[in-house]
Amino acid sequence: RVKLNFKQLHPFVSGFNRQSDKTFPGRSTIGEEWYGNCSLIETIPNKNESAMNSLLLIINTLLIMTHTLPPLPYAMDALAPKMSKETLEYHYGKHLQTYIDNLNNLIKGTPYENMPLEEISVKADGPIYNNGAQAWNHAFFFNSFSPTPKSAPEGALAEAIKRDFGSFDAFKEQFGKAAIGLFGSGWTWLAADKNGKLVIVSESNAGNPLKKGLIPLLGIDVWEHSYYIDYRNRRADYVKNFWDIVDWKVIEKRFKK
């Protein structure tokens, strides 16, 4: 993980008077919701432009896209008992970390080396897709929760759910049935198309609606590693308790975007 502070790197960066157009690939990160390249816009004093360009070339050479474990927006024990600290220690701390480590090793020297996770999830296939999409899916999943969640959507999202599913309760029933009924490992998603129509999509393994041109709003992981510590083989209980930690304030923001 690389952090750049140009004032610390070189005394040339003072008395700023114009912007350059240099952009550096940064690490994929989960800020609030989405992933992407980090644009670094620096300003250069005219008299030292040649020296600064040399410095930028060195930095650009050293800067490597490294995907890292995104921080949780809550404490490890904050979602208990619906999702225990032990589950997060394994699911977030070990499974997600493994996907990230695998991805970093797999993308070296490939066209995916400097791509953000979202782009990898759309363009890649094979092992790079599996690990990249799983890294994206899990970070998105963990960022959907809160120990003090908003329990139901309002506004435009609530209206869209009513329009496309009949009611919020009807949506939860349909979503739950899809998640419980998904054979084997995978994900069930609430997603929107480009016109804002909502759909429920179930995908096996690392499947993600991004591949189909859809916008993910909410996803539930139904791989056994996501619930076996807390619920053993009772996937239905896991799905039922999932609703108690989903923060609809987060999902509303995704829909507005």
Side-chain angles (χ1 to χ4, degrees):
R1 178 175 180 178
V2 179
K3 289 186 177 180
L4 298 179
N5 184 323
F6 274 78
K7 288 189 177 182
Q8 292 176 355
L9 283 170
H10 206 283
F12 290 155
V13 188
S14 61
F16 305 142
N17 55 19
R18 76 180 185 85
Q19 287 189 336
S20 80
D21 59 359
K22 293 181 174 61
T23 299
F24 297 88
R27 70 182 184 91
S28 288
T29 179
I30 184 163
E32 185 173 7
E33 306 295 345
W34 302 99
Y35 302 84
N37 280 348
C38 303
S39 292
L40 179 60
I41 300 176
E42 83 294 341
T43 52
I44 300 174
N46 289 334
K47 292 182 179 179
N48 296 306
E49 185 165 354
S50 177
M52 180 57 81
N53 283 340
S54 297
L55 177 63
L56 295 175
L57 179 62
I58 294 170
I59 294 168
N60 197 34
T61 301
L62 294 174
L63 194 60
I64 300 172
M65 171 72 87
T66 301
H67 302 281
T68 59
L69 188 69
L72 290 174
Y74 41 78
M76 294 284 278
D77 60 353
L79 303 180
K82 308 299 181 180
M83 187 176 290
S84 69
K85 179 180 179 181
E86 185 180 7
T87 286
L88 283 171
E89 287 172 342
Y90 279 88
H91 193 189
Y92 163 79
K94 297 185 183 297
H95 286 280
L96 175 52
Q97 184 67 68
T98 298
Y99 293 129
I100 291 169
D101 291 343
N102 289 343
L103 178 66
N104 284 328
N105 290 327
L106 288 166
I107 61 177
K108 291 176 182 177
T110 75
Y112 305 103
E113 190 170 32
N114 287 319
M115 284 187 189
L117 286 176
E118 184 175 338
E119 191 173 358
I120 291 173
S121 298
V122 173
K123 295 182 177 179
D125 54 22
I128 290 178
Y129 173 77
N130 289 336
N131 286 277
Q134 280 291 74
W136 194 97
N137 293 352
H138 279 81
F140 189 84
F141 171 75
F142 289 123
N143 204 49
S144 301
F145 305 135
S146 170
T148 56
K150 183 176 182 178
S151 60
E154 295 179 318
L157 179 56
E159 293 172 4
I161 287 174
K162 183 177 180 180
R163 179 195 67 210
D164 295 328
F165 301 107
S167 69
F168 182 52
D169 287 340
F171 155 69
K172 290 199 296 182
E173 182 179 357
Q174 292 175 51
F175 186 96
K177 284 183 178 179
I180 294 167
L182 179 60
F183 183 78
S185 300
W187 296 79
T188 292
W189 301 91
L190 171 66
D193 67 15
K194 61 182 180 180
N195 297 315
K197 178 177 173 55
L198 302 180
V199 292
I200 294 170
V201 180
S202 287
E203 300 282 353
S204 61
N205 299 321
N208 186 302
L210 292 168
K211 272 278 193 183
K212 297 179 176 179
L214 298 171
I215 301 167
L217 301 176
L218 175 67
I220 183 170
D221 184 354
V222 293
W223 286 63
E224 284 192 340
H225 67 232
S226 68
Y227 59 87
Y228 211 81
I229 289 172
D230 296 331
Y231 299 96
R232 296 298 185 260
N233 64 333
R234 304 190 311 277
R235 184 190 287 189
D237 289 344
Y238 161 67
V239 173
K240 178 183 176 182
N241 287 331
F242 168 81
W243 298 116
D244 292 335
I245 56 175
V246 170
D247 189 356
W248 285 95
K249 180 171 63 177
V250 173
I251 317 308
E252 288 171 355
K253 289 181 181 178
R254 293 170 178 170
F255 183 67
K256 287 176 182 178
K257 291 181 180 181

